[in-house]
Amino acid sequence: MDVETEVVIAGAGPTGLTLAYELALAGVETLVLEKLPRRVEQVKGGTIQPRTAELLELRGLLEPMLRRALPRERVGSHFAMLPVPLDCTPWQTRHPYPISIPQWEVEEVLEERATARGARIRRGAAVTEVGGSGDGVTVSADGLRVRARYLVACDGGRSTVRKFLGVPFPGRPGNSLAVLADVRLSATSSLVPTRLGHISDLTRQVNGYWAMLVPVGGDRYRLTFGREDEAETTRDTPVTHEEIAAALRAVYGEETVLSGVDNASRFTDATRQVERYRVGDVLFAGDAAHIHTPLGGQGLNTGVQDAFNLGWKLAATIQGRAPDGLLDTYHAERHPVGAGVLHHTSAQRVLADLRPNEDVAALRDIFTDLLRLPEANRHLAGLMSGLSLRYDLPGEHPLTGCRMRDADLLTDAGPTRVSALFGDGHAVLLDLAGIVPSGLRPPSGVDTVRAESATDLSAAALLVRPDGYVCWAADDAATCDATLPAAIDRHLAAVPTGMYDAVGGHQGTTDRERA
């Protein structure tokens, strides 16, 4: 059967489904192909970091996930499993703590919202061929032949799309192997954690094993473990019930009894990244673009943030309203972010070694002391949470490239928050001091909001991209008049003829104008 669509996405994980939502929100015809016939209800990838939480809140996607979140202590994340929580409060976020939620529940929320917006999801459709002519792509998948303008590979670390196209995946193979399993326990010893807290309180090393057991409700736990002797085991070796039971007994005592295994798999600490996130009409995101050791819960978050960066750019390109080169900025902005994640997770792999030699043990002690220093803690908290990410965008204002804080605002319509302005997936021109001309009519997809803020946002007016990053700011009317049109034209869309026609001067009213 032949199908046509504007974008075809390979993979219905968190990255692919976030992208499907973003494209459908913008009115782009989107089809997601997923090889599995049904969603795997696995806890893996179950951490939403603070910056990802902020992005999801921009679209109204966070609240339904919070309803499904696991109860946990209000404690910060970690760096290299060291016993000092990372403090995100200096970054002025409403979500300073990680949110624990099974990955399959994240996927369920995203799929419900994406399909409600018109995205189509086809399960049991494994990609079997990828072709292109320079003017779009053709994808075959179990009886379907899909013709699309763009293909986005979100199909994981073993990406079929990447292999079909012969795209290199350079990096380092895994040196260690571990098991991730969702288990049920019929009896527990006093060594089994009873609440979800800091990772350093959930991890044990004993009898040749290391293990982390996380309670997820009732008799259910997420178990991660490895052992010293893995010589006869490969990533594809099936995980047995007895192997898991033996690990539980060794680490948590004979009183801990395994009653069932819902699912189990092996993973490695391989570190790889594609050299280009865009190859013609094919783009790569999430684990299809980068893999790394899972320390610090970075995988799901990096992939979802890839999707937020790519979605609005791809939509604008397809709809003919993007400035030249906008789609290429996806690689320019996100490849360095992925490389940075590979870099700091590699450092964590050394520090987190639960069987450290004398030198590594000394390094752990010193690094633990450093984490107790406020500035060092703030730096690593920003790195691990994503809150410190700043894109290298052209512009003179110090806020250019930074994330937009979720401040309280007052408009003529009443009180609101910055995060509430982005539900349509548009860019926002936020005028806080009446310096934007009242007659300004920016291009489609840019909303003008005139408001007041009790919080000092360090600018009189800001232009914020759909993904919540400031791409222009000004402190006075003269700078606004001189630089705003060029900023819109460079970052978002071609400035329409007469955008400044009928300008009625500058004023401080608080109204919202939708272009």
Side-chain angles (χ1 to χ4, degrees), residues 316-376:
T317 300
I318 288 171
Q319 293 168 349
R321 50 185 175 83
D324 291 343
L326 180 65
L327 190 55
D328 289 327
T329 67
Y330 167 63
H331 168 84
E333 293 178 2
R334 293 303 298 174
H335 190 278
V337 173
V341 172
L342 266 63
H343 187 67
H344 73 66
T345 52
S346 294
Q348 290 184 74
R349 182 174 56 242
V350 176
L351 287 168
D353 189 347
L354 294 175
R355 299 179 296 275
N357 60 33
E358 185 176 342
D359 293 341
V360 173
L363 182 62
R364 282 176 60 91
D365 289 343
I366 290 174
F367 221 92
T368 299
D369 288 340
L370 286 173
L371 277 177
R372 295 190 174 100
L373 301 177
E375 281 303 307

Side-chain angles (χ1 to χ4, degrees), residues 351-437:
L351 287 168
D353 189 347
L354 294 175
R355 299 179 296 275
N357 60 33
E358 185 176 342
D359 293 341
V360 173
L363 182 62
R364 282 176 60 91
D365 289 343
I366 290 174
F367 221 92
T368 299
D369 288 340
L370 286 173
L371 277 177
R372 295 190 174 100
L373 301 177
E375 281 303 307
N377 193 293
R378 179 183 183 276
H379 172 75
L380 289 176
L383 184 70
M384 298 299 291
S385 65
L387 295 171
S388 64
L389 173 61
R390 179 174 184 170
Y391 291 124
D392 185 16
L393 303 181
E396 299 298 324
H397 199 281
L399 291 180
T400 304
C402 295
R403 83 185 222 279
M404 181 66 195
R405 288 160 46 200
D406 187 15
D408 291 312
L409 301 175
L410 180 62
T411 72
D412 278 351
T416 188
R417 285 164 45 184
V418 168
S419 59
L421 306 178
F422 292 86
D424 293 334
H426 293 176
V428 172
L429 175 57
L430 181 59
D431 184 6
L432 297 169
I435 71 168
V436 175

Side-chain angles (χ1 to χ4, degrees), residues 5 43 46 54 77 79-80 90 97 119 123 185 187 228 254 259 282 294 339 342 346 399 430 451-452 495:
T5 188
V43 177
E54 290 183 341
S77 186
F79 185 83
Y97 306 108
R123 294 191 174 274
L185 304 180
E228 293 178 0
E254 294 291 336
S259 62
V282 181
L342 266 63
S346 294
L399 291 180
L430 181 59
E452 298 174 358
V495 172

